[in-house]
Each structure stands twice: as C-alpha cells, then as structure tokens.
C-alpha cells in the first residue's frame, strides 16, 4: 500500500481483509487501515526485534494478512518473511514502490536507474554506484541515513555534480517532493518516510583508474618514498586477485595508496585497512577524499592487539607494514583467511624475504608467485604471492 489516508484496495484485497482475523504491519499502516478492518481484528505490530514478531506469527494457527509500504518484493518486508518462513507466503499484492512514485512525480524515466537501500544497510552499494559514476541512483533511506547525511557524504568525497530529488510520504495527500543541489540539502530536515533520487545532469562514463601517481597523495610527514610505488602497487593488486574476492584487508596502509586504488578499481570490495601510526587517520581521510574513494573502513592501532571478530573475514590481504613482527602477522592473517585466501607481501631486504618464506612455511602455505621489480633508482623489491596448499 501507499501513504493514502483513505486507501483504495481492489475487490480481491477487500474480500481477503473481510476473511481474515489477524493482521500485521507498522503502526503507521494500522492507522491508515483501522477503519476497514473487520470487528474483532487482532493486530501484530512489526517492530524490532523482528524475532519477537516472528514468535507471535508462529504461535498462531491461522493465516496473517500483512500490510507493508510499496512493492513487497522490492526491498520489502515480504522478502524477509520468505527467508524466515520458506514456502509460507501465499500471495502478494504490490503497490508502486516509493521510488517509482517519486520518479512519476518528477516525470523522470527510471528504466536506467540504479537502486540501493540504506534502510538498515551499509554504504557499500551507494559508494559503488558513486565510484562507478552511475548517472541516476534511487536511494531508500531510514531515520539514520537521511538526505542531509547522504548529501554531506557525497560532498566530502567530491561527488558534487549531482542533483538530489527527495520524496516525502509519497502516494498520499501529505506528499512532498523537493529538488535541490547537494549543498542545499546539507543541514535540512525532511519528513519521514522519505526516499531520494540522485541524478547527474552531465554523466560521464566510468573509467576505472590504473595507476595512481605517488605525487598526488598527501604523504606521511612529507616522505614521498613511504608510498608504495605505482608499478609495485599495480603488480601487488593484480596478484591479490581482487576481481574474484569480496573482502580485502590492507595491513599497514600508511598513506592508503593500496586501499584507495583497490577500492577505485574494484568498487564491489569491502576494504578494511589497518595502520599503527596515529597519523594514518589524517592520511586516509585526506587521500580517500582526494581520490573520491568512500567506504574504506580503517582502524588505527596495533594490528595484533585489535579485536577482529566483528570485521568481515578477509579473502585477500596485503602486508604493507609489520613493525618487525612479520611472522605473527602472517599467522594471524592466514588463520582468518583459511586455505582459500591469498596473501601478498613486498620485501625490500633479504632479511624480510627470509622471514616471509619462514612464516609461509610455518603456516602450511606456499609461495605461488614471485617476481623482482626495480623502479627507477630505488632498491629492488621482491613481490610475493602466497596461497594455502
């Protein structure tokens, strides 16, 4: 259903309402349909935690008619029910989704629109759409991820050319529709529920970068040589096989060059980065914004002392710094990755090369690729790829 104060349902749905005793939906839905429910109707509010709602459903020996907003199979509650109660969703009756209604209010064709949801979800898919320069993106919001917050994030990472269209309480007499440039959305409050469409009036084709220049990065204490050189970075990224991975860890990110290029080249990736030096915070924030790379989850502090259980399991990892504890780093990372992971390390000395070989042998992995690379007048670097046996 939509937000219409006096909802109009088809004769089939009206008959179903008359035949049911137990109904469920949000409190807003209950207010909208209260006058058309049969006498003696029982209502189950859909509120978090959903486990309590499911428990009420399971305690019944009769069917439940559920009211929800928009299209129930488009980021809707029905998809959640189908996972929780396989085979028990008997029938669905769709309304227009909020994004469809917003597009029609704007007379905006939406066949080419990317759709992402921030309703209780992370930023990953919106970040991906921005990095890939999607020309038109529909965004489902919640009370936390507001239009103002989304606009500020887009501005922070340099995606300033978009126009934002905001739809509030769509489909009813209280409907409101606004269109603003991003900077005019920041600081504004809008009624809820709302959704938005961001549109680039001058879209450009996405061209994934291959090789970010070292001099374009904000360096650590002015030390440009601390940045992983572009040819070394490109070989390392290719050996990480990130096109086939979902989660990548960059351990010892320093300026963030490996993390940033990985995110821009593979926007689908969950990139998690670690750096022991407190300066890493400013370096990652400045450089990720400079290169328009949102969504890198970075952590400052001793890698070996951090609680990693809540983080997405790495499928690939790059060791850019180890503080003299290379063997411990390898042991922890390979234990987290399992035998299907891949680990890449750049060695600048015979000592660290021997330590990495020892560490890989100790954990039961093997060196799957090795090459020696010299960039300009810098010392030769051995680039190694290791995998489980």
């Amino acid at each position: 259903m939509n937000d219409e104060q006096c909802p109009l349902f088809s004769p089939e749905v009206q008959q179903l309402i008359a035949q049911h005793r137990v109904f469920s939906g949000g409190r807003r839905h209950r207010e909208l349909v209260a006058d058309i429910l049969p006498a003696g109707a029982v209502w189950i509010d859909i509120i978090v935690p959903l486990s309590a709602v499911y428990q009420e459903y399971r305690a019944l020996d009769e069917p439940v008619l559920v009211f929800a907003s928009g299209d129930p199979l488009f980021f809707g509650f029905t998809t959640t029910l189908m996972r929780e109660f396989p085979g028990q969703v008997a029938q669905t009756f769709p309304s227009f989704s909020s994004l469809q209604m917003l597009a029609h209010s704007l007379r905006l064709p939406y066949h080419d629109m990317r759709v992402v949801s921030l309703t209780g979800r992370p930023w990953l898919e919106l970040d991906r759409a921005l990095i890939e320069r999607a020309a038109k993106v529909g965004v489902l919001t919640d009370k936390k991820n507001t239009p103002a917050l989304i606009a500020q994030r887009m501005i922070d990472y340099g995606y300033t050319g978009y126009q934002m269209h905001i739809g509030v309480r769509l489909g009813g007499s209280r409907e409101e529709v606004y269109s603003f440039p991003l900077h005019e959305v920041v600081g504004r409050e809008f009624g809820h529920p709302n959704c938005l469409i961001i549109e680039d009036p001058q879209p450009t084709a996405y061209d994934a970068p291959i090789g970010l220049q070292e001099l374009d990065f904000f360096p650590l204490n002015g030390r440009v040589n601390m940045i992983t050189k572009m040819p070394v970075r490109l070989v390392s990224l290719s050996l990480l096989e990130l096109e086939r991975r979902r989660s990548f860890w960059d351990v010892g990110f320093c300026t963030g060059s490996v993390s940033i290029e990985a995110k821009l080249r593979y926007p689908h990736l969950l990139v998690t980065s670690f750096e022991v030096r407190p300066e890493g915070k400013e370096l990652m924030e400045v450089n990720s914004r400079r290169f328009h790379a949102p969504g890198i989850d970075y952590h400052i502090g001793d890698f070996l002392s951090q609680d990693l259980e809540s983080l997405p399991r790495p499928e690939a990892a790059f060791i850019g710094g180890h503080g003299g504890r290379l063997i411990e780093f390898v042991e922890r990372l390979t234990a987290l990755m399992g035998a299907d992971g891949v680990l890449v390390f750049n060695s600048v000395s015979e000592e660290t090369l021997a330590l990495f070989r020892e560490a890989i042998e100790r954990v039961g992995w093997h060196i799957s690729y090795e090459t020696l690379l010299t960039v300009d007048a810098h010392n030769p670097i051995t680039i190694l790829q290791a995998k489980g046996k």
Side-chain angles (χ1 to χ4, degrees):
M1 58 183 295
N2 59 29
D3 251 18
E4 185 59 57
Q5 291 286 64
C6 299
L8 298 175
F9 294 109
S10 68
E12 184 179 6
V13 173
Q14 292 179 41
Q15 184 177 6
L16 280 172
I17 292 172
Q19 293 171 349
H20 279 71
R21 186 184 72 90
V22 183
F23 302 87
S24 189
R27 290 169 180 165
R28 180 167 52 89
H29 303 119
R30 181 179 59 186
E31 293 172 0
L32 294 173
V33 302
D35 292 342
I36 61 174
L37 298 182
V42 174
W43 184 275
I44 299 173
D45 277 328
I46 298 175
I47 54 176
V48 292
L50 290 177
S51 57
V53 180
Y54 302 151
Q55 188 174 353
E56 289 193 67
Y57 290 170
R58 291 190 173 96
L60 297 166
D61 57 0
E62 57 186 303
V64 182
L65 194 151
V66 178
F67 292 95
S69 298
D71 184 339
L73 296 178
F74 181 79
F75 293 98
F77 184 57
T78 298
T79 55
T80 305
L81 289 177
M82 292 170 74
R83 288 194 301 269
E84 189 70 22
F85 300 91
Q88 295 187 53
V89 174
Q91 198 169 3
T92 60
F93 297 87
S95 179
F96 283 110
S97 74
S98 58
L99 289 173
Q100 285 177 300
M101 289 189 285
L102 177 55
H104 279 281
S105 294
L106 298 164
R107 293 174 299 283
L108 180 69
Y110 61 92
H111 58 275
D112 56 345
M113 183 170 72
R114 292 266 290 269
V115 176
V116 302
S117 176
L118 293 178
T119 306
R121 298 169 187 248
W123 293 97
L124 177 65
E125 290 304 322
L126 178 58
D127 291 341
R128 178 178 183 177
L130 294 174
I131 292 171
E132 292 176 349
R133 303 303 193 276
K136 198 182 298 176
V137 186
V139 185
L140 299 173
T141 63
D142 59 18
K143 291 184 178 180
K144 176 184 175 183
N145 295 310
T146 64
L149 182 67
I150 295 165
Q152 184 63 66
R153 182 180 176 87
M154 293 176 67
I155 291 170
D156 287 345
Y157 286 95
Y159 295 97
T160 56
Y162 283 87
Q163 177 95 342
M164 182 176 284
H165 310 289
I166 303 106
V168 179
R169 293 184 290 268
L170 295 167
S173 58
R174 300 178 297 164
E175 175 177 299
E176 302 169 20
V177 176
Y178 306 91
S179 295
F180 295 114
L182 293 181
H183 70 272
E184 292 189 25
V185 179
V186 175
R188 284 180 180 256
E189 293 186 4
F190 298 89
H192 195 82
N194 60 61
C195 65
L196 55 93
I197 296 173
I198 55 174
E199 182 185 18
D200 188 348
Q202 296 180 315
T204 56
Y206 174 58
D207 186 14
I210 303 179
L212 302 177
Q213 299 294 325
E214 297 94 72
L215 292 178
D216 291 337
F217 283 88
F218 178 60
L220 174 66
N221 299 326
R223 297 155 65 191
V224 178
N225 287 339
M226 292 295 289
I227 300 173
T228 303
K229 299 299 175 289
M230 186 252 286
V232 176
R233 190 187 325 128
L234 290 179
V235 174
S236 300
L237 287 170
S238 71
L239 293 177
L240 286 162
E241 303 172 354
L242 297 177
E243 68 279 0
R244 299 192 291 109
R245 314 284 173 167
R246 301 296 302 179
S247 175
F248 164 59
W249 284 17
D250 179 10
V251 181
F253 65 73
C254 192
T255 59
S257 63
V258 173
S259 295
I260 290 167
E261 187 142 7
K263 186 66 178 179
L264 294 176
R265 185 70 182 163
Y266 308 99
H268 70 279
L269 270 182
L270 288 168
V271 179
T272 309
S273 307
F274 303 86
E275 174 58 50
V276 68
R277 287 172 285 219
E279 301 95 319
K281 180 179 187 297
E282 180 186 10
L283 290 168
M284 181 62 82
E285 288 180 355
V286 170
N287 286 322
S288 61
R289 283 164 170 75
R290 181 174 289 186
F291 289 97
H292 318 300
I296 297 172
D297 180 24
Y298 66 88
H299 301 262
I300 304 298
D302 181 11
F303 174 71
L304 295 176
S305 301
Q306 295 199 36
D307 180 9
L308 307 176
E309 295 304 316
S310 62
L311 302 177
R313 182 182 73 89
E315 298 172 15
F318 174 75
I319 299 178
H322 51 83
R325 295 177 293 176
L326 180 57
I327 291 178
E328 293 96 320
F329 275 46
V330 170
E331 288 175 337
R332 189 163 201 196
L333 284 168
T334 54
L336 288 165
M337 283 190 286
D340 58 341
V342 59
L343 183 62
V344 171
F345 175 67
N346 296 337
S347 175
V348 296
S349 69
E350 289 297 327
E351 180 184 1
T352 56
L353 181 59
L355 275 175
F356 186 73
R357 294 187 193 281
E358 178 187 343
I360 292 302
E361 183 176 356
R362 183 179 296 191
V363 299
W365 282 31
H366 70 285
I367 304 294
S368 46
Y369 184 87
E370 179 178 335
T371 189
L372 188 67
L373 188 63
T374 302
V375 179
D376 300 328
H378 298 286
N379 293 330
I381 295 177
T382 304
I383 306 173
L384 303 107
Q385 178 198 65
K387 294 183 176 181
K389 293 184 178 179

